[in-house]
């Protein structure tokens, strides 16, 4: 069953095209990575899906409901949550106050505290520092907090933009291990922008490759762990090799 559908989607910033007729689908419970060079349109795609970037053409659907033209708040109410690049945590608030920001759309208040404790169980360092200023956290801890805050909206589909950006490999391993564990526990659908094809291959899932605002390939993430295979997917086989 399709959880998310993007059809002939285009985005422009003034006269500059960012996305050109992009189409893709994500099945319920699937883990999909989007990879590509800088300027490929990956963040623009996520922004268009969550409603923070205006579209110029095409449509976006989740569970059959049209997302195109909706505000980010109304899209979030349908069960979509976004962890943006750069995390966007509130540095002047405590860890717990940041998590509570993610509960503003919820009405099941009795379950909120239970979910907060679940986040602390998943990321113990956040529990240890629940009363500390979020601005004093390390980059990895802030990424954990951003993921935790997104989970506090009780999403069906969660999008994460560059979760490994600027983090040490061991911290990235911890973030991904916990994120995948939470996906399996909650039955989440994940759409992740990940610059490292090797990282995506290690985690496992499906990969969509983008370049120049368009989808240029895709398949099992493990198939793109090799740099030569990734280059071939982007640019095709060299003419000399293809002629053999």
């Amino acid at each position: 069953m399709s959880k998310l559908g993007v059809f002939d989607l285009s985005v422009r910033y003034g006269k500059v095209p960012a996305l050109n007729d992009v189409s893709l689908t994500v099945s319920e419970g699937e883990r999909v990575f989007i990879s590509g060079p800088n300027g490929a349109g990956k963040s623009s795609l996520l922004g268009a899906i969550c409603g923070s970037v205006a579209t110029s053409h095409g449509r976006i659907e989740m569970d059959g409901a049209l997302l195109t033209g909706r505000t980010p708040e109304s899209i979030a109410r349908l069960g979509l949550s976004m962890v943006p690049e750069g995390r966007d945590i509130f540095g002047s608030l405590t860890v717990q106050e940041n998590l509570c920001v993610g509960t503003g759309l919820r009405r099941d208040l009795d379950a909120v505290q239970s979910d907060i404790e679940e986040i602390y169980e998943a990321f113990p360092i956040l529990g240890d520092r629940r009363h500390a200023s979020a601005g004093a956290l390390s980059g990895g801890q802030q990424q954990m907090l951003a993921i935790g805050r997104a989970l506090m909206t009780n999403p069906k589909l969660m999008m994460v933009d560059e979760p490994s950006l600027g983090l040490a490999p061991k911290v990235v391993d911890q973030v991904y291990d916990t994120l995948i564990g939470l996906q399996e526990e909650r039955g989440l659908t994940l759409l992740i922008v990940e610059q490292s094809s090797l990282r995506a291959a290690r985690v496992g899932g499906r990969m969509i490759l983008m370049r120049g605002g368009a989808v240029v390939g895709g398949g099992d993430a493990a198939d793109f762990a090799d740099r030569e295979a990734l280059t071939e997917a982007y640019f095709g086989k060299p003419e000399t090799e293809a002629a053999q």
Side-chain angles (χ1 to χ4, degrees):
M1 176 181 179
S2 178
K3 170 64 68 174
L4 175 71
V6 176
F7 307 97
D8 301 321
L9 188 70
S10 295
V11 167
R12 303 181 68 88
Y13 299 117
K15 295 183 178 181
V16 180
L19 295 176
N20 298 297
D21 295 326
V22 169
S23 295
L24 59 91
T25 59
V26 179
S27 298
E28 186 166 3
E30 194 177 15
R31 184 186 314 135
V32 177
F33 293 94
I34 300 175
S35 190
N38 291 335
K42 307 183 297 294
S43 294
S44 294
L45 174 60
L46 263 59
I49 293 170
C50 74
S52 64
V53 171
T55 62
S56 57
H57 181 265
R59 75 183 193 278
I60 307 165
E61 298 178 357
M62 188 175 80
D63 292 329
L66 186 66
L67 303 188
T68 317
R70 290 179 180 260
T71 65
E73 292 77 15
S74 65
I75 292 174
R77 288 191 182 95
L78 293 175
L80 187 149
S81 188
M82 171 78 169
V83 180
E85 180 183 353
R87 297 139 199 163
D88 284 352
I89 57 108
F90 298 99
S92 61
L93 301 182
T94 67
V95 167
Q96 181 137 329
E97 287 169 341
N98 267 271
L99 291 178
C100 288
V101 168
T103 67
L105 299 175
R106 295 181 59 174
R107 297 293 178 264
D108 55 338
L109 299 183
D110 291 341
V112 166
Q113 187 58 43
S114 175
D115 284 353
I116 288 176
E117 292 304 321
E118 182 181 349
I119 298 302
Y120 289 153
E121 183 177 344
F123 297 111
I125 188 62
L126 298 183
D128 294 342
R129 306 198 65 183
R130 67 184 69 193
H131 301 303
S133 168
L137 300 178
S138 69
Q141 291 163 3
Q142 289 185 3
Q143 185 64 276
M144 296 172 194
L145 178 56
I147 291 171
R149 185 181 62 190
L151 287 166
M152 287 303 299
T153 66
N154 198 24
K156 304 171 186 174
L157 167 64
M158 189 160 78
M159 304 191 302
V160 189
D161 195 352
E162 295 277 20
S164 59
L165 186 66
L167 303 183
K170 287 185 178 180
V171 177
V172 177
D173 287 342
Q174 182 183 0
V175 168
Y176 264 115
D177 286 347
T178 306
L179 183 60
I180 301 313
L182 288 166
Q183 179 192 17
E184 293 172 353
E185 181 180 328
R186 292 186 172 211
L188 285 170
T189 303
L190 289 179
L191 183 61
I192 305 171
V193 167
E194 177 54 71
Q195 191 78 4
S196 170
S197 59
L198 182 58
R199 171 66 59 182
R202 287 175 178 170
V203 174
R206 180 162 62 94
M207 183 179 285
I208 294 172
L209 302 175
M210 295 186 66
R211 178 168 56 90
V215 173
V216 296
D220 192 311
D223 293 338
F224 298 99
D226 179 73
R227 182 174 295 276
E228 183 177 340
L230 190 65
T231 300
E232 182 181 314
Y234 282 139
F235 305 111
K237 291 185 178 182
E239 291 184 8
T240 54
E241 183 180 338
Q244 293 177 356

